[in-house]
């Protein structure tokens, strides 16, 4: 019972008790993926031996890829793992409060709760501040981002969706960006969300904090498959594939928004490969009932109630065939409810 109550507080998209959805709109994974050269690298990874415990070559590659000093690169088991680790660091340093974007990934708040940090209404009140740009679930720019970066606080910029940005640009100068902890999780952009691996670019002059975070990390936080994926991430072949594929996502996104609007849904602005929408529900059905009906037909959408956005869903951009399946299933539900 206790385990059930713990896990029920965490809401995620993707595979569930019914298995892998036939058409999964609930995650933000790249719909053109998996990226062929990255997938090949993962498949060829040697899982029979430990990775280098210091991740020496990988850290050199990531530092060169971002044009930063080697000591600024940290490895993480996943974005979620690092979220809990840096929250632990903030607590060890005496932090009492954390600030979160109005609609944000639930693990930010989960980690704060685990370490006894209070969520406050204003960034100036917090010793740990979270930002995500493009944001989730909205896929929008983070409002007032530059004003929230402060060298006196731990400011983490979650850049999970930067590689999947389809419009706009990060509204930070390079100087301000260097004051943030930049959290990168390429598995979404590569269509390999089952490979859990992430990395962080530390702010300038954060050597002491980097050492503390390394001490808080378990040994080998990234396995052989994660190392292979991150190494592939830095290659020209993978970056070329990613750049070339964004055109398809833009076209599919335009089509998908038009399809949703044809169903009477209200789509919110987004700069990424996903967006939020308020479905036009049948009068006799709740959102949960509709989502359950869709799931039974192999289609999964992400309820955004856990993001403090009730009545909406987050929809990842998928290929036209999946979009048409959503359209047909929705029409079936509407007809059935009439």
């Amino acid at each position: 019972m206790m385990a059930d109550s713990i896990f029920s507080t965490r809401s995620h998209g993707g595979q569930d008790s019914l298995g892998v959805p036939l058409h999964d709109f609930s995650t933000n994974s790249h719909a053109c993926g998996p990226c062929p050269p990255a997938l090949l690298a993962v498949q060829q990874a040697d899982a029979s031996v430990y990775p280098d415990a210091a991740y020496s070559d990988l850290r050199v590659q990531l530092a060169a890829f971002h044009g930063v000093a080697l000591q600024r690169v940290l490895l993480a088991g996943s974005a979620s793992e690092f979220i809990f680790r840096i929250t632990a660091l903030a607590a060890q340093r005496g932090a009492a409060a954390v600030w979160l974007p109005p609609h944000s990934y639930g693990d930010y708040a989960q980690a704060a709760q685990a370490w006894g940090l209070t969520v406050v209404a204003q960034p100036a009140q917090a010793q740990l501040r979270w930002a995500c740009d493009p944001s989730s679930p909205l896929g929008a720019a983070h409002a007032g981002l530059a004003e929230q970066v402060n060298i006196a606080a731990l400011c983490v910029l979650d850049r999970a969706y930067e590689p999947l940005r389809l419009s706009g640009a990060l509204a930070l100068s390079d100087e301000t960006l260097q004051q943030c902890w930049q959290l990168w999780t390429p598995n979404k952009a590569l269509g390999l969300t089952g490979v859990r691996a992430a990395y962080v670019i530390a702010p300038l002059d954060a050597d002491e904090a980097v050492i503390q975070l390394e001490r808080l990390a378990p040994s080998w936080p990234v396995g052989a498959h994660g190392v292979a994926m991150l190494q592939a991430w830095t290659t020209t072949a993978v970056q070329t594939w990613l750049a070339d594929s964004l055109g398809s996502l833009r076209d599919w996104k335009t089509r998908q928004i038009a399809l949703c609007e044809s169903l009477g849904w209200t789509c919110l602005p987004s700069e990424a490969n996903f967006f939020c929408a308020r479905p036009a529900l049948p009068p006799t059905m709740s959102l949960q009932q509709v989502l359950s009906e869709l799931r039974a037909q192999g289609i999964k959408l992400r309820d955004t109630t856990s993001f403090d956005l009730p009545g909406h869903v987050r929809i990842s951009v998928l290929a036209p065939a999946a979009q048409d399946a959503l359209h047909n299933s929705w029409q079936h539900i509407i007809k059935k409810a009439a």
Side-chain angles (χ1 to χ4, degrees):
M1 246 346 240
M2 183 177 294
D4 289 343
S5 67
I6 291 172
F7 291 121
S8 67
T9 63
R10 301 197 182 189
S11 179
H12 298 291
Q15 183 174 180
D16 52 28
S17 61
L18 298 179
V20 179
L22 180 61
H23 302 296
D24 191 358
F25 293 86
S26 71
T27 78
N28 296 333
S29 185
H30 195 324
C32 296
C35 169
L39 177 61
L40 180 62
V42 170
Q43 291 171 332
Q44 292 180 338
D46 185 358
S48 69
V49 295
Y50 286 109
D52 169 18
Y55 299 100
S56 304
D57 290 344
L58 175 56
R59 290 176 66 239
V60 167
Q61 288 174 277
L62 291 170
F65 182 68
H66 286 278
V68 300
L70 182 62
Q71 62 267 25
R72 293 178 61 190
V73 178
L74 293 90
L75 276 298
S78 66
S80 293
E81 185 274 316
F82 184 77
I83 288 166
F84 277 80
R85 198 189 332 165
I86 199 165
T87 304
L89 174 65
Q92 287 183 346
R93 290 184 154 200
V98 60
W99 182 84
L100 314 176
H103 309 293
S104 58
Y105 181 43
D107 277 18
Y108 303 156
Q110 290 276 356
Q113 182 181 35
W115 284 96
L117 273 62
T118 301
V119 178
V120 294
Q122 299 298 326
Q125 300 171 314
Q127 296 81 43
L128 173 61
R129 303 173 189 174
W130 287 98
C132 186
D133 194 321
S135 65
S136 182
L138 295 174
H142 182 106
L145 179 56
E147 292 74 24
Q148 294 162 16
V149 177
N150 187 320
I151 200 167
L154 287 172
C155 301
V156 187
L157 175 59
D158 188 340
R159 308 194 73 181
Y161 306 111
E162 180 62 44
L164 291 166
R165 184 190 292 277
L166 303 182
S167 60
L170 182 67
L172 281 185
S173 68
D174 186 65
E175 181 181 0
T176 305
L177 182 60
Q178 302 312 313
Q179 297 177 30
C180 299
W181 295 84
Q182 301 175 55
L183 176 55
W184 291 89
T185 47
N187 58 352
K188 296 177 182 65
L190 299 177
L192 290 167
T193 53
V195 182
R196 310 303 295 161
Y199 64 95
V200 180
I201 305 299
L204 288 169
D205 303 319
D207 294 356
E208 182 181 346
V210 169
I211 292 171
Q212 288 179 279
L213 285 165
E214 289 282 14
R215 288 172 177 166
L216 286 169
S219 298
W220 298 290
V222 180
H225 298 96
V227 170
M229 181 187 72
L230 293 179
Q231 287 180 323
W233 170 245
T234 67
T235 65
T236 300
V238 166
Q239 291 301 313
T240 299
W241 174 87
L242 177 60
D244 291 345
S245 68
L246 295 185
S248 295
L249 287 182
R250 291 187 185 96
D251 292 342
W252 293 352
K253 182 178 180 181
T254 299
R255 185 184 191 275
Q256 187 163 309
I257 289 173
L259 181 145
C260 289
E261 290 177 340
S262 75
L263 298 173
W265 297 17
T266 301
C267 299
L268 304 184
S270 162
E271 296 180 346
N273 68 317
F274 56 92
F275 56 93
C276 288
R278 178 185 284 276
L281 299 174
T284 58
M285 297 184 72
S286 69
L287 178 60
Q288 283 302 320
Q289 288 173 321
V290 170
L291 294 181
S292 179
E293 286 269 355
L294 287 171
R295 184 65 187 91
Q297 298 177 46
I299 296 171
K300 186 172 182 180
L301 308 182
R302 177 75 152 87
D303 181 354
T304 57
T305 300
S306 67
F307 292 101
D308 198 23
L309 192 64
H312 292 72
V313 292
R314 190 190 68 193
I315 314 172
S316 179
V317 172
L318 296 188
Q323 297 176 21
D324 292 342
L326 171 61
H327 179 272
N328 295 338
S329 293
W330 187 265
Q331 296 283 45
H332 174 75
I333 290 171
I334 295 297
K335 184 177 180 179
K336 181 179 175 182

